[in-house]
Amino acid sequence: MPDALDATPYDALLLLSFGGPEGPDDVVPFLENVTRGRGIPKERLKEVGQHYFLFGGVSPINAQNRALLDVLRKDFAEHGLDLPVYWGNRNWAPYLTDTLREMVADGRRRILVLATSAFASYSGCRQYRENLADSLAALEAEGLELPRIDKLRHYFNHPGFLEPMIDGVVESLADLPEDVRDGAHIAFTTHSIPDSAADTSGPVEGHGEGGAYVEQHLDVAQLIADAVRERTGVGHPWRLVYQSRSGAPHIPWLEPDICDHLEALHEAGAPAVVMAPIGFVSDHMEVLYDLDTEAEAKAGELGLPVRRSPTVGADPRFAAAVRELILERAAAESGRDVTPCALGALGASHDLCPVGCCPARAPRPAAAGADSPYA
């Protein structure tokens, strides 16, 4: 095997995701897992679960993760990268703790984690690290030998993540009627989070309005818009907008909401819109409901032609990007020279989350960072 495909010191990759229900009976227990500790009544969870019941109680995220696992394993095999791939979720089976227990039983001692979130934020990074710490504490209480866990850096500006989204926007524009195509606006969407969480996202030195979360999304949006202009010869107006708000009304969250933005564009005379969900790795429930259901219905009310471009999902280019990120991290851990691959103005993200990066409201142990209690 060529040295370039040597993942030493790592002996496994863990795909770490959110999880989702796979049938109607799973919906409320799943939502109880997601909201544990918040004191939300079961009746309220049943109301929230209507989004899932509209789709038979099944979230597409688990099937999408299985597809990503398949394409990762295929890519690794085709390129001679001998690295087993496991899968664990935060909120539904296969649960993270169970998967880590399996990995320890299989003799895995140096584990790299790929989280299905490309950007810096508490919910998109540190919360996964807290879940890892919780699982390691559980294994430690069982007397098991703990593996060392590292997390792959944020990959929002890796070409293998960007290129499928660029293609998707170009194809969505081409699918619009010809008379509105060139004047179409692009609405780049991502998950809304509280302003306070956005402002403290990323390393401490970058904290401020929007923090790393907004900065990284704006960089991605600009990269995609520039590439679309180069490929089509047309520059399309664009804006970063938000979806899937779930917090109390009195707490400020990132705005504008996608539906409000569609109304504003219609009032301003925009002839058409492409919705590009850049903040999501796959077409999971929030994409299917908030964009394909709610936003499409709003556009229909307005008589505004819209198209929704796909997320990266299990695109082989994304699998190749993951392989490159693994080899990049392995080289750095082994003391070899490496040039991280990243596009745009921000460069490659840090390998190790520094102290104070994306803090929670209440301090909790988090693995795979500079403040990890598990070396």
Side-chain angles (χ1 to χ4, degrees):
M1 183 184 299
D3 289 343
L5 294 185
D6 182 7
T8 304
Y10 298 106
D11 55 20
L13 176 71
L14 168 62
L15 175 65
L16 177 55
S17 194
F18 193 81
E22 300 202 70
D25 293 341
D26 297 343
V27 172
V28 172
F30 162 74
L31 293 173
E32 287 175 332
N33 287 342
V34 173
T35 62
R36 193 173 306 282
R38 301 183 201 172
I40 299 177
K42 182 171 286 190
E43 290 307 310
R44 174 57 182 153
L45 294 180
K46 289 179 181 178
E47 293 176 16
V48 174
Q50 292 305 313
H51 294 184
Y52 291 95
F53 293 130
L54 286 174
F55 296 89
V58 179
S59 168
I61 193 169
N62 280 352
Q64 290 162 0
N65 280 327
R66 292 185 186 103
L68 179 55
L69 287 168
D70 287 344
V71 75
L72 286 171
R73 289 165 177 155
K74 182 175 185 289
D75 178 272
F76 292 2
E78 289 177 348
H79 291 86
L81 179 59
D82 184 17
L83 194 72
V85 186
Y86 296 75
W87 170 35
N89 289 324
R90 287 170 44 183
N91 299 299
W92 202 248
Y95 287 104
L96 172 59
T97 302
D98 295 336
T99 300
L100 283 178
R101 189 181 294 112
E102 176 189 357
M103 297 177 82
V104 169
D106 289 347
R108 311 304 176 193
R109 295 295 178 265
R110 287 295 303 273
I111 298 170
L112 262 178
V113 172
L114 167 67
T116 53
S117 176
F119 298 86
S121 70
Y122 170 73
S123 57
C125 184
R126 186 177 175 88
Q127 193 169 13
Y128 282 103
R129 294 176 48 227
E130 291 175 353
N131 297 142
L132 286 165
D134 291 343
S135 294
L136 288 172
L139 299 188
E140 187 175 39
E142 296 171 13
L144 298 177
E145 182 180 354
L146 299 186
R148 175 173 166 179
I149 295 179
D150 293 325
K151 180 178 175 291
L152 287 172
R153 65 176 173 87
H154 302 303
Y155 45 84
F156 63 91
N157 56 4
H158 193 288
F161 185 67
L162 291 166
E163 287 165 3
M165 292 191 291
I166 294 166
D167 286 352
V169 172
V170 170
E171 290 165 7
S172 295
L173 287 165
D175 191 48
L176 284 167
E178 187 174 358
D179 60 333
V180 299
R181 187 180 304 150
D182 286 353
H185 288 234
I186 305 173
F188 293 107
T189 78
T190 190
H191 205 301
S192 184
I193 62 175
D195 286 3
S196 58
D199 294 346
T200 56
S201 57
V204 172
E205 60 270 19
H207 289 179
E209 186 175 356
Y213 186 74
V214 171
E215 182 181 43
Q216 290 171 0
H217 280 88
L218 287 173
D219 197 45
V220 167
Q222 186 68 65
L223 284 164
I224 295 174
D226 289 347
V228 169
R229 184 183 65 251
E230 290 173 6
R231 294 190 190 183
T232 65
V234 178
H236 292 270
W238 63 267
R239 184 169 183 179
L240 177 64
V241 300
Y242 303 92
Q243 62 175 90
S244 312
R245 176 189 170 128
S246 59
H250 68 281
I251 297 175
W253 282 51
L254 293 173
E255 296 178 337
D257 175 77
I258 176 62
C259 289
D260 294 339
H261 183 58
L262 292 177
E263 288 187 344
L265 287 179
H266 176 64
E267 291 174 3
V273 180
V274 168
M275 301 181 293
I278 60 174
F280 307 90
V281 171
S282 64
D283 288 5
H284 54 58
M285 183 57 68
E286 287 173 319
V287 175
L288 292 186
Y289 185 79
D290 296 324
L291 295 184
D292 295 356
T293 305
E294 279 197 331
E296 291 250 4
K298 173 58 70 176
E301 292 173 11
L302 298 169
L304 180 65
V306 296
R307 297 292 185 272
R308 199 268 290 174
S309 64
T311 53
V312 172
D315 191 289
R317 289 169 291 184
F318 181 43
V322 173
R323 167 171 42 85
E324 291 170 8
L325 288 165
I326 291 167
L327 296 174
E328 170 195 303
R329 184 63 179 272
E333 289 293 312
S334 300
R336 303 193 300 272
D337 290 336
V338 60
T339 302
C341 184
L343 301 177
L346 301 181
S349 293
H350 47 261
D351 279 336
L352 193 68
C353 291
V355 175
C357 192
C358 303
R361 291 182 182 176
R364 285 181 55 193
D371 55 355
S372 172
Y374 300 101

